[in-house]
Amino acid sequence: MLILAASVLAAGAAPAQDRRLEDAIVAAMKSGEGAPAIKGLVKAGYVKQKPNRRVDYVDYRAFRKPLTLAGATLVTIEEEYMTKHIGCCVNEGIGLVARVGADPQALTALAKAANCAIKDEEAVKDSLANAGARPGAGGLVYISCRSGDRR
């Protein structure tokens, strides 16, 4: 939480709603329960209610307007959960793609503190493609906060 607070202060006074949404995303990263954070993002207009795409157990959503987390701009959010059994191996939790500046240290430290994994470039490409998001300029990081990522 200290890292999150520092990034909000460094970025200037973000609106209270944005801070609440950032806190909800951090809580989802730690708990693996993404629904409350996604509901808040939908209500505030950051993502659509209906996922851009659902593949197997995963809902993919692209951000419609900028929201930062630990100094990085969120690009996609995905939630993996089971509504009905369609085969093996649901890995419940959330994933994020974020655009980072020259130093992704704050975001990677937040991910580590939440027991999340930083995934490879292929995961970034898959999430962007499934959410219908464009990569844009800047380095991208994929963070997976699913049950299989917990240490």
Side-chain angles (χ1 to χ4, degrees):
M1 285 307 239
L2 184 57
I3 294 168
L4 177 60
S7 70
V8 170
L9 291 174
Q17 178 184 26
D18 288 359
R19 286 192 299 272
R20 284 192 299 273
L21 291 170
E22 292 165 357
D23 289 345
I25 292 169
V26 171
M29 291 170 68
K30 292 178 178 179
S31 71
E33 177 59 44
I38 290 172
K39 285 179 184 176
L41 292 168
V42 168
K43 186 176 180 182
Y46 283 96
V47 296
K48 294 180 181 178
Q49 182 171 358
K50 183 178 179 187
N52 296 70
R53 187 169 184 198
R54 180 159 174 88
V55 178
D56 298 329
Y57 295 115
V58 184
D59 288 346
Y60 295 89
R61 290 176 171 86
F63 277 81
R64 301 166 76 183
K65 57 184 183 178
L67 181 66
T68 60
L69 181 67
T73 303
L74 297 174
V75 179
T76 68
I77 187 167
E78 51 192 58
E79 181 185 23
E80 187 167 347
Y81 62 96
M82 181 170 38
T83 54
K84 68 178 185 173
H85 192 307
I86 60 172
C88 177
C89 310
V90 64
N91 189 12
E92 292 182 334
I94 68 166
L96 302 164
V97 172
R99 182 167 290 106
V100 295
D103 185 9
Q105 187 175 13
L107 185 64
T108 56
L110 176 62
K112 186 176 180 179
N115 289 318
C116 300
I118 306 293
K119 300 287 185 168
D120 63 17
E121 191 174 319
E122 197 61 36
V124 170
K125 291 178 186 176
D126 287 346
S127 186
L128 291 174
N130 284 316
R134 295 192 176 137
L140 298 171
V141 172
Y142 180 89
I143 299 171
S144 180
C145 304
R146 292 182 166 83
S147 55
D149 299 316
R150 307 284 177 215
R151 297 177 215 163

